Amino acid sequence: MKSRSEVLFTKKELEKRFSELANQISNDYKNKKIHLITILNGGVYFFAYLSMQLKNRVTVDFIKASSYGNDTKSSGNVKLLKDIDVDIKGEDVILIDDICDSGRTLKVIKEYLLSKEPNSVKTCVMLDKKERREVAFEVDYFGFEIPNFYVYGYGLDYNNFESRNLPDIYKVIFEEE
Ligand code: IMP
Ligand code: MG
């Protein structure tokens, strides 16, 4: 199918909102150390910006789950490809990802992290496609809610196209031929 793209959020719009989000998180976690766990690869650009705006003491770790592969639809299977390196027992964890779509990835990883007895686990994403949920799952913090668009840029990948390092977020518009 033919497609074209349009800018959905500029870097400036995104980072203004991420600063607000960081303030909200800093207020919610006053005087607490936060352990940020980011899902590779898509969440790293958002994590890097957000973490530098937080006023808290922060430690960081990364986890990797299977992604869409070469399709724009979720396979429904979530596989752990890289585990966390640091024990999270007693930690206040915020799990970060680029986008919440069906909700499967975050639900599965959150449950996995909870089995390691942290003090708390909350989730934070750049974009939330709420209407696409296939499992019951609500994120605690999100930058923007979007409808069912396929998006790329600012960490988000588009069919393994070289799009992660684009500073703005684009939406793909599929056109009938
Ligand atoms: P979920 O498990 O269906 O919620 O999928 C979450 C993962 O799918 C995200 O971490 C992204 O890697 C990927 N994903 C979902 N929607 C998009 C999109 O619009 N653009 C790029 N990646 C997406
Ligand atoms: Mg992902």
Side-chain angles (χ1 to χ4, degrees):
M1 207 188 291
K2 259 174 64 183
S3 66
R4 62 189 172 87
S5 302
E6 266 175 20
V7 172
L8 183 61
F9 300 109
T10 63
K11 179 174 190 283
K12 201 173 163 190
E13 287 165 341
L14 290 166
E15 291 178 352
K16 180 170 179 271
R17 174 67 191 128
F18 300 163
S19 300
E20 290 170 9
L21 206 52
N23 283 337
Q24 188 189 342
I25 294 171
S26 294
N27 279 330
D28 291 353
Y29 287 79
K30 265 202 183 98
N31 303 320
K32 285 187 182 162
K33 193 204 82 174
I34 307 174
H35 189 63
L36 298 175
I37 298 180
T38 302
I39 303 180
L40 297 172
N41 298 321
V44 294
Y45 293 75
F46 175 48
F47 148 77
Y49 187 86
L50 186 83
S51 62
M52 287 191 287
Q53 312 300 311
L54 293 173
K55 297 177 187 77
N56 311 68
R57 287 170 299 125
V58 158
T59 47
V60 308
D61 202 353
F62 301 89
I63 193 165
K64 186 165 184 165
S66 63
S67 67
Y68 283 2
N70 285 318
D71 201 348
T72 54
K73 275 188 271 135
S74 175
S75 64
N77 295 322
V78 179
K79 252 188 283 164
L80 201 63
L81 302 178
K82 183 222 165 283
D83 204 350
I84 50 172
D85 294 326
V86 183
D87 182 19
I88 59 170
K89 191 165 181 171
E91 295 281 348
D92 288 301
V93 173
I94 300 182
L95 177 61
I96 296 177
D97 201 2
D98 45 11
I99 191 163
C100 187
D101 188 25
S102 73
R104 288 180 204 281
T105 309
L106 281 170
K107 187 174 199 283
V108 168
I109 295 182
K110 184 177 176 180
E111 278 164 11
Y112 171 69
L113 295 178
L114 282 169
S115 74
K116 299 191 175 283
E117 298 176 44
N119 186 49
S120 65
V121 178
K122 286 197 176 181
T123 52
C124 178
V125 295
M126 275 200 303
L127 303 178
D128 191 358
K129 292 195 213 173
K130 281 203 173 105
E131 68 181 52
R132 292 259 306 164
R133 270 325 177 275
E134 290 167 18
V135 292
F137 188 80
E138 269 192 52
V139 296
D140 299 292
Y141 300 101
F142 60 91
F144 295 97
E145 184 180 340
I146 61 165
N148 182 19
F149 294 145
Y150 198 81
V151 289
Y152 62 90
Y154 213 101
L156 288 154
D157 192 23
Y158 176 28
N159 275 353
N160 297 322
F161 169 67
E162 292 91 351
S163 62
R164 289 196 198 275
N165 66 325
L166 297 173
D168 302 324
I169 289 183
Y170 297 80
K171 68 170 176 182
V172 183
I173 300 156
F174 295 99
E175 291 166 333
E176 301 296 327
E177 303 231 11

